[in-house]
Amino acid sequence: MGGGPEAPLRDGERARDLLLAVLPWPEKAAEKSIAGIKEEFPNLEVHYIPEQYSERKEERGKVAVPEELQKRANIIATLAWLPATASNIPNARFIQCFSAGTNHLAQHPVYKDSDIPFTTASGVHGPQIAEWVIMTDLIHSHNYITLYEAQKKKEWVQSKGMQVQDRVGRRVGILGYGSIGRQVARVAKAMGMDVIAYTASPRPTPESKRDNGFIVPGTGDPDGSLPSAWYSGLDKESLHNFLKQEIDLLVLAVPLTKDTTHFLSTAEFALLHASNPSGTYISNISRGGVIDQTALIHALETKQISGAALDVTDPEPLPADNPLWDAPNVLITPHVSGSTTVYAERAFLVLRENLRRERDGGKLVNVVDRERGY
């Protein structure tokens, strides 16, 4: 779409804005949402450049984008690509990232040295990641790996599947009660679990507990009514108070910042064990660096925790000789819990909401606070 010389403007005619989308999906994957944007914003030109996805992080964002398009762009939609400097995009009003976080862009000159607002796609990941969290927890609690191995050996041994812990009455502690944590809470409550939430700042009032970000319709906890208790703080004492609450499933859904790096380490695993000797199961769908991986391996080997489901590791990809692969009761997936066939469609809905808010003079949704890192 787009491209070609621009016709001169007639009297009273507005110059068309340019939405430059550089994304690792074929345009067809988001054609419905793009069509909706073009219908609602007829003065917006959309130019879509598909980027070849790479397994290697250092190769992502390496795509040729014509300088003329960079210069004209008013809104940029991206996952990994950014221009060399902010001077390449003098007309950019905001940059819509198609990821939940921006830590992968935090050292880029456009992020560090400009005041162009960055917004994220936070809110689109809740359904699929919540399903991954519950799926892996059930795999663990229902001994599915053992049963599957028996199936491959053509063994019919009922005793291997007898020690099942159903989820009714169990407690899930959600560390980071954003859109993902709220959808985990919704599903967990439907299964009869108790939910407790942990946030960086206190949420003492009904209004402060509301989710004011993007929400996939019919999901999440918009009014913040699902947790039976809320905890908060970035200091160790506050975190430790939360971890003492006999948690059966601990879900890590916090952004990776200097405050949350190695948020869980030796002392925290010891506290979890003391509070729940039968074993907390840890689910990490945030970033690998939130956990001290060496301490995690030790906690698994000494049965301080009952197991761990990890969609993220430190580093990524996880080297084949890393001892985490061989730790007991660990389930590792290659950072795919946020994947869904409708990801691009949903992320464009966030962009569409921001286009509306900008048009109507409102505040953009999911604006990144560069000081906080999210």
Side-chain angles (χ1 to χ4, degrees):
M1 298 181 193
E6 293 184 73
L9 298 177
R10 298 192 179 110
D11 289 343
E13 206 174 29
R14 274 183 61 203
R16 298 182 76 196
D17 280 344
L18 174 63
L19 164 59
L20 175 60
V22 185
L23 296 164
W25 295 277
E27 188 174 346
K28 186 174 178 61
E31 61 183 354
K32 181 179 177 182
S33 291
I34 292 174
I37 287 173
K38 294 174 73 175
E39 181 179 0
E40 185 172 355
F41 301 90
N43 200 50
L44 182 66
E45 175 188 348
V46 180
H47 195 106
Y48 196 104
I49 298 178
E51 174 193 347
Q52 185 67 38
Y53 179 78
S54 174
E55 292 278 352
R56 299 174 64 85
K57 289 184 179 181
E58 62 271 19
E59 294 177 358
R60 296 174 193 169
K62 306 296 185 184
V63 57
V65 178
E67 290 184 9
E68 182 265 342
L69 289 176
Q70 297 184 42
K71 184 177 180 180
R72 287 179 50 214
N74 305 104
I75 298 97
I76 294 172
T78 183
L79 183 67
W81 175 84
L82 284 176
T85 68
S87 63
N88 294 68
I89 48 172
N91 295 304
R93 298 198 297 267
F94 71 90
I95 297 172
Q96 177 70 60
C97 296
F98 272 45
S99 53
T102 54
N103 58 294
H104 62 298
L105 301 174
Q107 299 306 311
H108 195 284
V110 176
Y111 188 95
K112 291 195 303 180
D113 304 331
S114 83
D115 58 3
I116 301 171
F118 276 72
T119 61
T120 73
S122 179
V124 308
H125 307 80
Q128 64 270 31
I129 293 184
E131 290 175 14
W132 183 94
V133 168
I134 299 301
M135 174 189 72
T136 52
D137 183 46
L138 292 176
I139 285 173
H140 173 70
S141 62
H142 285 251
N143 304 315
Y144 178 75
I145 298 296
T146 300
L147 293 170
Y148 181 60
E149 292 300 323
Q151 177 191 334
K152 290 195 293 184
K153 297 176 184 176
K154 301 178 182 179
E155 295 178 349
W156 184 280
V157 185
Q158 288 185 324
S159 60
K160 291 185 176 182
M162 291 296 189
Q163 298 302 311
V164 171
Q165 295 181 336
D166 65 61
R167 301 294 86 190
V168 176
R170 301 283 171 175
R171 173 168 289 165
V172 53
I174 303 176
L175 194 56
Y177 202 61
S179 60
I180 295 169
R182 289 170 186 256
Q183 179 62 5
V184 171
R186 186 186 186 101
V187 179
K189 288 290 283 189
M191 296 171 62
M193 298 183 77
D194 176 48
V195 174
I196 59 174
Y198 189 97
T199 52
S201 55
R203 306 293 177 93
T205 65
E207 181 57 34
S208 68
K209 293 177 180 178
R210 291 190 60 81
D211 184 355
N212 295 312
F214 177 82
I215 304 172
V216 176
T219 72
D221 180 18
D223 60 2
S225 62
L226 294 179
S228 61
W230 289 68
Y231 299 80
S232 64
L234 289 172
D235 58 285
K236 286 293 186 179
E237 183 179 357
S238 298
L239 173 63
H240 289 179
N241 186 39
F242 174 71
L243 297 179
K244 292 176 182 177
Q245 304 307 312
E246 299 181 52
I247 297 171
D248 296 293
L249 170 62
L250 177 62
V251 181
L252 306 185
V254 294
L256 180 62
T257 67
K258 64 180 185 298
D259 291 315
T260 62
T261 299
H262 288 188
F263 218 30
L264 260 61
S265 190
T266 302
E268 289 69 41
F269 292 124
L271 276 175
L272 287 170
H273 179 66
S275 172
N276 184 5
S278 63
T280 299
Y281 192 65
I282 292 176
S283 179
N284 189 10
I285 48 78
S286 55
R287 292 293 184 267
V290 172
I291 297 181
D292 178 344
Q293 208 155 268
T294 301
L296 172 64
I297 293 171
H298 178 76
L300 289 164
E301 291 175 341
T302 59
K303 298 184 179 180
Q304 285 185 307
I305 56 176
S306 64
L310 310 172
D311 188 51
V312 289
T313 61
D314 185 18
E316 291 182 14
L318 189 65
D321 61 352
N322 191 288
L324 184 62
W325 287 110
D326 297 314
N329 297 319
V330 66
L331 193 159
I332 300 171
T333 58
H335 207 148
V336 294
S337 66
S339 301
T340 175
T341 55
V342 293
Y343 188 101
E345 286 281 359
R346 286 181 182 158
F348 267 103
L349 292 179
V350 183
L351 173 56
R352 185 174 180 177
E353 177 62 23
N354 273 331
L355 289 171
R356 288 184 186 127
R357 293 190 179 204
E358 186 189 49
R359 176 195 63 196
D360 299 338
K363 181 181 178 181
L364 298 176
V365 70
N366 296 344
V367 176
V368 177
D369 182 329
R370 283 167 162 87
E371 288 297 316
R372 298 176 72 181
Y374 59 94

